[in-house]
Amino acid sequence: MSSPMASFALFFFTLIVLSSSCRYAIGSPNNKTFLSLASRIGINYGRFGNNLPSPYQSINLIKSINAGHVKLYDADPETLMVLSQTNLYVTIMVPNNHIIPIGADQAAADNWVNTNVLAHYPQTKIRFVLVGNEILSNNSDQDKQTWSSLVPAMRKIVTSLRARGIHNIKVGTPLAMDVLRTSFPPSSGAFREEVAALVMLPLLKFLNGTNSFFFLDVYPYFPWSTDPVNNPLDFALFQSNSTYTDPQTGLVYTNLLDQMLDSVIFAMTKLGYPNVRLAISETGWPNSGDIDETGANILNAATYNRNLIKKMTANPPLGTPARPGSPIPTFLFSLFNENQKPGSGTERHWGILKPDGTQIYEIDFSGTRPVPSPGSLPKPSNNVPFKGNVWCVAVEGASEAELQQALNFACGQSNATCAALAPGRECYAPVSLTWHASYAFSSYWAQFRNQSSRCYFNGLARETTTNPGNEHCTFPSVTL
Ligand SMILES: *[C@@H]1O[C@H](CO)[C@@H](O)[C@H](O)[C@H]1NC(C)=O
Ligand SMILES: *[C@@H]1O[C@H](CO)[C@@H](O)[C@H](O)[C@H]1NC(C)=O
Ligand SMILES: *[C@@H]1O[C@H](CO)[C@@H](O)[C@H](O)[C@H]1NC(C)=O
Ligand SMILES: *[C@@H]1O[C@H](CO)[C@@H](O)[C@H](O)[C@H]1NC(C)=O
Ligand SMILES: *[C@@H]1O[C@H](CO)[C@@H](O)[C@H](O)[C@H]1NC(C)=O
Ligand SMILES: *[C@@H]1O[C@H](CO)[C@@H](O)[C@H](O)[C@H]1NC(C)=O
């Protein structure tokens, strides 16, 4: 998944009572047959964890939730082999660091296609090749070199596929909402200046000319959570009885996802490509997160994802206000909670399954089963921002060697961080690794949180609202 969309504008509403519930649409490319075959939701199968089931077990789990498509973040041969024994449609990805070489050299593209497509196709029903992942979200100089190679690389992959007689694999690239400079109201949607002419124009020309899709990673969770007090949660979860009317177009919105999708449609329209189809390469809602990540909980995740599936499997397709009736192929993020993803707590909690394969909440991708009532899940306490002190302590059962290393790191950043742990000082006793590490983590986090340090330490630390100190020793805390 992606980083939060920093540039996403806040959204505001005029509230109008509406009685109908929100229902929506998905489908898939090409012709009617393909559409009906594939009119099911896909799942992103990320593998950034050290406790995940094998590809074979994972694919069985994907079948058990009735997903129709699976998207890989690579072209792992073992997984593609397992998938050849299934009816799942498959999306594979070209890694970011292959874009420059492939963009420069048809032979590199041919090579990639031979190894990653031809070796598995058609037994494995590969339908999309996505080139790179959110490459426009990164402004480093190195990545800017990649920008101008993106469309040439996509063209060379298509050339390679067609030369091998493969006509039903589409080529795209997933982009995040931060490709937009403005997104609210939806009609104001416009691409960032530095990518508009350089990347978006050639990309749209390519997508339009190959009848492919604009793949979007789109998370209503992020704009909602920038201001959870004033942004209505119901509107982000497809549960709102209220609507928003775009003052420029008069289009009426019942949910935040449609607003975000339409802002991209308006941005494309401004560049002269009003008809490029949208697909959602990632969307979802985190089932847990850090204490300051309001709204990341199981009930909201279940509500968002169940309503999303209902919307996207509606027949006929619902589309969006700007494009009523258009099917939108959709991949939910993600199959598993992935414990090795860096970043804040939500990053490791987008899954619908735990690593042991059990569902975190009931979910079925076919869209044919009734949505379980939200009342069957515990009522969350974090839909409003937490106010109070938070400490950062060592987790139970961490390896001593790793804990010692993390303690050394935390104490090594400044002389002040662990001064109170010195022999004779107020926090020296009890002399235990866990106590000292917990103090060091809390102190480090309190000191450096404003420079984006996290209470994580590779999984050795967790946040707590229970004061870990004693009568002699006050642990530094973060005040939310
Ligand atoms: C539509 O797609 C299906 C499945 O790929 C294919 O068998 C069929 O020939 C296609 N029909 C047309 C009219 O292109
Ligand atoms: C951005 O680019 C830098 C340098 O190439 C890389 O280290 C980093 O992982 C990239 N970040 C993302 C989010 O892709
Ligand atoms: C997009 O593709 C359609 C269908 O092929 C074509 O009619 C249209 O002219 C294209 N748009 C642009 C701006 O090239
Ligand atoms: C929306 O309307 C339904 C049916 O009238 C009602 O049950 C529900 O409580 C309303 N939700 C909100 C958030 O007002
Ligand atoms: C800690 O203090 C020592 C001695 O005063 C100094 O040499 C060292 O640079 C300091 N370390 C840090 C990380 O500030
Ligand atoms: C970050 O917070 C620490 C501790 O509160 C403070 O000393 C420091 O000046 C802050 N740094 C920045 C860059 O805001």
Side-chain angles (χ1 to χ4, degrees), residues 179-181 189-193 195-196 200 204 214 264 267-268 271:
V179 292
L180 297 186
R181 166 165 56 87
F191 293 110
R192 273 157 42 207
E193 225 121 282
V195 298
M200 299 315 301
L204 292 170
F214 188 117
V264 172
M268 296 195 293
L271 288 187

Side-chain angles (χ1 to χ4, degrees), residues 30-34 37 89 127 168:
N30 282 341
N31 69 34
K32 283 257 156 52
T33 313
F34 189 6
L37 278 175
Y89 292 109
R127 289 296 178 273
N168 67 345

Side-chain angles (χ1 to χ4, degrees), residues 21-259:
S21 69
C22 325
R23 306 190 58 239
Y24 299 88
I26 167 169
S28 219
N30 282 341
N31 69 34
K32 283 257 156 52
T33 313
F34 189 6
L35 199 149
S36 63
L37 278 175
S39 66
R40 286 185 299 168
I41 309 281
I43 185 80
N44 280 282
Y45 173 24
R47 298 187 300 151
F48 220 138
N50 61 8
N51 55 359
L52 299 181
S54 69
Y56 178 79
Q57 293 167 309
S58 302
I59 300 305
N60 277 336
L61 291 167
I62 290 171
K63 289 196 291 189
S64 76
I65 56 171
N66 292 311
H69 292 245
V70 58
K71 173 167 160 272
L72 315 183
Y73 285 84
D74 50 22
D76 176 55
E78 182 188 350
T79 308
L80 290 173
M81 192 82 77
V82 175
L83 283 165
S84 70
Q85 305 299 313
T86 73
N87 286 320
L88 286 161
Y89 292 109
V90 178
T91 296
I92 58 177
M93 289 179 74
V94 178
N96 290 0
N97 62 4
H98 284 47
I99 294 173
I100 291 176
I102 290 176
D105 182 6
Q106 185 61 49
D110 294 345
N111 242 330
W112 196 91
V113 167
N114 287 345
T115 307
N116 300 289
V117 179
L118 230 52
H120 304 282
Y121 179 92
Q123 295 87 341
T124 302
K125 297 181 179 57
I126 299 171
R127 289 296 178 273
F128 297 110
V129 172
L130 302 186
V131 179
N133 195 33
E134 297 185 355
I135 73 155
L136 301 181
S137 299
N138 203 329
N139 279 317
S140 72
D141 286 344
Q142 196 194 330
D143 285 80
K144 284 188 172 170
Q145 279 180 32
T146 310
W147 293 3
S148 45
S149 299
L150 176 64
V151 177
M154 295 170 79
R155 288 196 184 283
K156 288 188 171 65
I157 297 278
V158 169
T159 300
S160 203
L161 291 168
R162 301 298 176 259
R164 285 155 182 72
I166 301 173
H167 295 278
N168 67 345
I169 295 182
K170 302 252 176 232
V171 174
T173 186
L175 299 176
M177 280 299 285
D178 63 5
V179 292
L180 297 186
R181 166 165 56 87
T182 54
S183 56
F184 185 85
S187 59
S188 75
F191 293 110
R192 273 157 42 207
E193 225 121 282
E194 80 271 24
V195 298
L198 179 67
V199 189
M200 299 315 301
L201 256 183
L203 177 62
L204 292 170
K205 181 164 189 238
F206 167 84
L207 297 175
N208 191 60
T210 57
N211 198 23
S212 186
F213 292 79
F214 188 117
F215 280 88
L216 186 67
D217 292 351
V218 54
Y219 290 95
Y221 170 72
F222 289 126
W224 173 77
S225 65
T226 58
D227 185 2
V229 173
N230 294 307
N231 293 333
L233 181 59
D234 281 349
F235 197 75
L237 297 178
F238 309 97
Q239 307 258 93
S240 183
N241 291 340
S242 308
T243 62
Y244 168 76
T245 302
D246 188 310
Q248 300 306 313
T249 59
L251 293 173
V252 176
Y253 291 88
T254 60
N255 64 81
L256 183 50
L257 179 70
D258 279 348
Q259 284 189 2

Side-chain angles (χ1 to χ4, degrees), residues 384-401:
V384 292
F386 174 82
K387 293 250 175 287
N389 293 329
V390 187
W391 292 267
C392 181
V393 297
V395 297
E396 307 281 315
S399 114
E400 292 209 349

Side-chain angles (χ1 to χ4, degrees), residues 25 80 110 128 142 148 171 262 265 290 309 372 404 418 463 473:
L80 290 173
D110 294 345
F128 297 110
Q142 196 194 330
S148 45
V171 174
D262 276 3
I265 290 172
D290 291 341
I309 291 169
Q404 183 67 53
C418 296
E463 297 178 3
C473 170

